[in-house]
Amino acid sequence: MRLRSRRGLRPDGRNLPGLLVLLGAAGALPGTALGQPPAAAAVGVNQASPPRSTGLEARLVGVVAQHLAGRGFLAPLREGRLDEVARQSCLDLADRPVEVAGEATAAGGPGPRPEQLLEPARLQHLLWQEGVADAEVQPLALCGQEEALPAALRRLLAQPVPGGDPRPTHLGVAAVRLAEGDGSACATVLLLHRFVRLEPWPRQVEVGGSLRLVGERLAEASRVRLLLCGPSGRVQELALVASGRRFLGVVPFVEGMGAYHLQLLAETRQGPVVAATFPIHAGIAPPRHPVVRLFPDPPPGSGAADEHATERQALTLLNRDRLRQGLAPLQLHPLLGQAARRHSEQMRDRRFFGHVSPEQLHPGDRLRRLGLGCERQAENLSIAPDAARAHALLMASPAHRRNILDPELTHVGLGAAWDHGPVRSLFLTQLFARLPEQAVRR
């Protein structure tokens, strides 16, 4: 999931500055980049129930539509299963004391830390339970006096988001009163950008079986690819048969019991994006509760003060996981590092996120401008709170994991750029290459 966060709640992650996680993977192939019961109960993003709306929810939907219209975008479609996830998130908020949930957010003051409002692992768990596999989701949480929430949402939407403002295609919203008679309420708004529409899929299957994954690419996606990471950690690309916008893939479950992670990559004008990602469990039941990974706090004064130290940490994490798989460590190359650092800084400063720059420069174009020819190349992008979380999220994503563990790649350039906006975020570019002998000596 690519979670986008604003102060008041989001990558990643398009979620995580608090909750933000943005991931991008460009593959090394030439010209490309890359609660429910068991098996009988299938889930899918096209099974939306008709949304029901309260007066406050309708006003919040209007705020979103007005905000997007001011930027020339169409209003997103409201979807029943997103409403249900938003409702469950509201109930989570209502279980917490109002002062923790953030009355200051609705009043426009300094809001609470994002993870105090919505835990990203919990949100991802709810989305998968409802059959929502879309990777780019922006959650916004509000708590305070009911009449103040529409204005608070307007202010949240106006805040800059690392990687640029999203253009949601779908929306879910829910609001609940915190206490009778005092006018307090909390609300959750989920904004989602959909690139593919999937037919319902089972959350649990038998070991040794297979499943037909059927879907449709939407207008922005020119091509779709399917990756699978099984319990062994090995990533493979599966064949898709396409007919017009429709596609079909057969997914095998032959690595034994465990979780199989499926990921759909969509080719867009901005390069490849993760369109959908979700697990299917073979021989075991899906977890009833989210699995939360804890990370130690970074040392005081680390990160923003020394981007080179962040890059060194990122290299250590990369080579640690390669060595665990019996692979040779990646060597730093100064020109790869220069290209990676420039791209991270450009994404931060020009507020975009993707492998293709506003000038339509691809990773290979950026390297050729520096006079560096590669036999093979790949690129991973991330926006996250720090290097450790960025690396963990990349390794959990099949497309990014495949690049990191590619035995054919020999060198890497790492580019870190810190954004000190409302949600402090790290832009990280990993630029991998297999270099010819003459390039290695440069």
Side-chain angles (χ1 to χ4, degrees):
M1 177 170 73
R2 173 177 160 176
L3 287 172
R4 291 178 175 264
S5 178
R6 300 175 188 264
R7 189 184 62 189
L9 179 112
R10 174 169 152 67
D12 124 69
R14 113 173 233 239
N15 188 111
L16 286 149
L19 279 178
L20 161 67
V21 138
L22 295 181
L23 299 178
L29 297 178
T32 65
L34 265 193
Q36 298 282 17
V43 292
V45 295
N46 58 341
Q47 290 185 315
S49 56
R52 298 188 297 268
S53 188
T54 66
L56 175 57
E57 290 169 1
R59 292 196 298 276
L60 296 175
V61 171
V63 168
V64 172
Q66 184 180 41
H67 171 81
L68 293 172
R71 286 157 175 75
F73 301 139
L74 296 175
L77 299 174
R78 191 170 177 189
E79 188 170 84
R81 67 182 56 248
L82 291 176
D83 280 358
E84 177 59 24
V85 174
R87 186 185 70 83
Q88 291 290 340
S89 299
C90 277
L91 295 177
D92 289 347
L93 290 175
D95 285 340
R96 306 182 184 189
V98 176
E99 64 270 20
V100 173
E103 188 162 342
T105 301
R113 288 174 56 82
E115 60 269 26
Q116 289 181 298
L117 291 176
L118 293 181
E119 162 56 47
R122 165 70 170 162
L123 179 60
Q124 179 68 90
H125 183 76
L126 291 173
L127 288 165
W128 283 338
Q129 280 191 322
E130 291 296 323
V132 180
D134 304 270
E136 185 171 325
V137 181
Q138 179 188 13
L140 301 172
L142 305 156
C143 288
Q145 292 299 302
E146 182 174 335
E147 67 274 9
L149 295 190
L153 176 60
R154 194 172 291 112
R155 288 192 293 273
L156 283 176
L157 290 169
Q159 290 180 1
V161 177
D165 291 328
R167 296 181 292 108
T169 59
H170 293 75
L171 168 146
V173 62
V176 298
R177 288 189 172 88
L178 294 176
E180 290 296 332
D182 70 352
S184 61
C186 64
T188 301
V189 178
L190 301 176
L191 303 178
L192 177 150
H193 195 133
R194 182 163 294 160
F195 295 94
V196 296
R197 182 183 297 115
L198 296 177
E199 291 190 0
W201 68 85
R203 298 189 67 213
Q204 182 180 346
V205 296
E206 297 296 326
V207 175
S210 64
L211 106 89
R212 289 160 51 94
L213 184 71
V214 181
E216 177 186 7
R217 62 178 175 85
L218 302 183
E220 290 183 72
S222 61
R223 180 187 174 205
V224 177
R225 300 166 63 187
L226 174 61
L227 298 181
L228 174 68
C229 182
S232 70
R234 183 175 65 91
V235 179
Q236 58 181 314
E237 182 165 354
L238 304 179
L240 286 179
V241 177
S243 176
R245 294 188 180 276
R246 300 277 292 174
F247 58 83
L248 164 69
V250 178
V251 182
F253 299 92
V254 294
E255 291 188 14
M257 296 172 53
Y260 291 73
H261 293 272
L262 285 76
Q263 190 171 74
L264 288 159
L265 302 182
E267 295 286 345
T268 72
R269 291 187 61 188
Q270 291 73 42
V273 299
V274 177
T277 182
F278 57 99
I280 295 178
H281 293 77
I284 59 173
R288 298 180 59 185
H289 304 286
V291 177
V292 179
R293 180 172 179 180
L294 301 179
F295 293 87
D297 290 332
S302 65
D306 189 349
E307 286 164 337
H308 291 288
T310 301
E311 293 165 5
R312 289 194 297 271
Q313 181 187 6
L315 178 65
T316 299
L317 294 169
L318 277 176
N319 283 333
R320 178 200 66 186
D321 283 336
R322 285 180 65 90
L323 290 170
R324 285 175 176 173
Q325 298 296 320
L327 302 173
L330 295 167
Q331 303 298 314
L332 287 176
H333 191 280
L335 291 183
L336 290 174
Q338 183 179 340
R341 200 167 300 117
R342 284 181 180 175
H343 191 61
S344 289
E345 292 170 351
Q346 188 179 46
M347 288 192 295
R348 176 196 62 193
D349 298 340
R350 300 183 65 178
R351 297 188 63 240
F352 77 95
F353 181 78
H355 300 284
V356 182
S357 72
E359 294 81 17
Q360 294 298 297
L361 293 177
H362 293 254
D365 300 323
R366 300 196 295 272
L367 291 179
R368 281 188 289 273
R369 286 193 167 192
L370 293 173
L372 187 62
C374 300
E375 298 175 351
R376 183 184 179 93
Q377 67 189 42
E379 183 176 69
N380 285 347
L381 306 176
S382 177
I383 306 178
D386 53 52
R389 288 175 174 84
H391 181 78
L393 289 157
L394 290 167
M395 283 295 290
S397 165
H400 306 89
R401 180 186 183 90
R402 182 170 68 166
N403 287 342
I404 291 170
L405 300 180
D406 188 336
E408 298 297 320
L409 299 172
T410 58
H411 290 75
V412 68
L414 297 164
W418 286 95
D419 181 358
H420 303 290
V423 180
R424 181 173 174 269
S425 310
L426 168 66
F427 286 72
L428 181 65
T429 298
Q430 300 173 336
L431 187 52
F432 307 95
R434 179 181 180 87
L435 299 177
E437 186 65 30
Q438 61 270 27
V440 173
R441 292 195 298 267
R442 293 185 62 179

